[in-house]
Amino acid sequence: ETGVTQSPTHLIKTRGQQVTLRCSSQSGHNTVSWYQQALGQGPQFIFQYYREEENGRGNFPPRFSGLQFPNYSSELNVNALELDDSALYLCASSLDGPYTGELFFGEGSRLTVL
Amino acid sequence: RKEVEQDPGPFNVPEGATVAFNCTYSNSASQSFFWYRQDCRKEPKLLMSVYSSGNEDGRFTAQLNRASQYISLLIRDSKLSDSATYLCVVNIGQAGTALIFGKGTTLSVSS
């Protein structure tokens, strides 16, 4: 167990809807990274939050947004859902950025967009 | 060109075999390198870091060639439990803000 928990584990939405995914970091970790993993692909970097501020962003449109709270938990929000947004969304926590390379992943939230 | 590219899979090998995975990365400013393992329908987990001098952890050996921007992972004496997807991971971006994952190579070890 990594100590990183994500909710919900599974959800189904329709095109155009909005979704919020939640992540609780491992105790003591101040950095949260979000990844999207489509079937048969590696995880794609969405963005990272360090001490409540966005600290890096991948090639995702602005309708993907996030927050990190003072307790270092985090949310990923996706607006105007598209079919291609169907994927496993992984949250990973670490201490002071990913410098050591060890990200601790949660089990993910599996989103299906119909 | 993708930032991190890996050998296409799957690799199907018998128990006891030696198997090698290769990976190339495009950003010459990349600072650190890793192999992660992902079991079916599970989250990725760090397998090992990759150092310029090469490093070994039991049956696993990782190598880095900065000049060729190439990373490798060698697994000796494969076990059934080694069956998984192996992800090549590179730390890039300003102040190392992101770990970028390859697509992964699937290994299936059979008895």
Side-chain angles (χ1 to χ4, degrees):
Chain A
E1 294 295 329
T2 64
V4 179
T5 57
Q6 292 187 242
S7 63
T9 55
H10 295 81
L11 69 166
I12 299 173
K13 293 285 188 177
T14 56
R15 274 189 307 174
Q17 284 189 310
Q18 179 266 344
V19 67
T20 297
L21 307 178
R22 295 179 175 83
C23 172
S24 177
S25 303
Q26 185 174 87
S27 177
H29 284 181
N30 55 20
T31 304
V32 172
S33 304
W34 284 92
Y35 287 82
Q36 180 196 67
Q37 188 172 25
L39 199 61
Q41 303 294 316
Q44 298 294 305
F45 176 66
I46 303 175
F47 43 57
Q48 180 187 105
Y49 280 83
Y50 172 65
R51 295 181 183 266
E52 303 178 57
E53 293 201 0
E54 188 177 291
N55 185 39
R57 188 178 181 94
N59 189 26
F60 279 81
R63 60 188 185 85
F64 285 78
S65 63
L67 282 173
Q68 188 181 30
F69 299 101
N71 67 355
Y72 301 134
S73 65
S74 178
E75 284 183 357
L76 164 65
N77 298 290
V78 187
N79 294 322
L81 284 167
E82 300 177 359
L83 296 179
D84 284 349
D85 295 333
S86 295
L88 179 68
Y89 288 85
L90 293 162
C91 165
S93 75
S94 56
L95 182 61
D96 292 338
Y99 306 105
T100 65
E102 183 145 27
L103 296 180
F104 295 85
F105 283 90
E107 295 188 355
S109 294
R110 191 168 297 279
L111 171 66
T112 301
V113 182
L114 302 176
Chain B
R1 183 182 174 188
K2 290 189 176 179
E3 290 175 297
V4 181
E5 292 198 69
Q6 297 186 236
D7 277 351
F11 283 59
N12 298 303
V13 303
E15 275 187 293
T18 295
V19 61
F21 302 140
N22 302 316
C23 170
T24 57
Y25 59 95
S26 61
N27 189 330
S28 59
S30 300
Q31 295 298 313
S32 44
F33 312 88
F34 313 93
W35 285 99
Y36 272 67
R37 170 188 169 137
Q38 186 171 25
D39 293 315
C40 187
R41 303 189 74 81
K42 294 286 192 179
E43 71 276 17
K45 293 183 180 178
L46 178 66
L47 177 66
M48 61 195 302
S49 302
V50 186
Y51 304 118
S52 296
S53 55
N55 50 301
E56 187 173 311
D57 182 3
R59 298 180 293 106
F60 298 82
T61 301
Q63 297 278 353
L64 167 65
N65 184 322
R66 286 188 183 270
S68 301
Q69 295 179 205
Y70 170 93
I71 306 160
S72 66
L73 176 68
L74 183 75
I75 305 175
R76 293 181 300 278
D77 189 23
S78 297
K79 311 291 185 190
L80 294 175
S81 58
D82 293 334
S83 297
T85 295
Y86 290 83
L87 299 159
C88 177
V89 185
V90 174
N91 191 340
I92 68 169
Q94 295 178 352
T97 55
L99 289 190
I100 303 301
F101 287 71
K103 185 177 178 178
T105 302
T106 299
L107 171 66
S108 178
V109 182
S110 56
S111 58

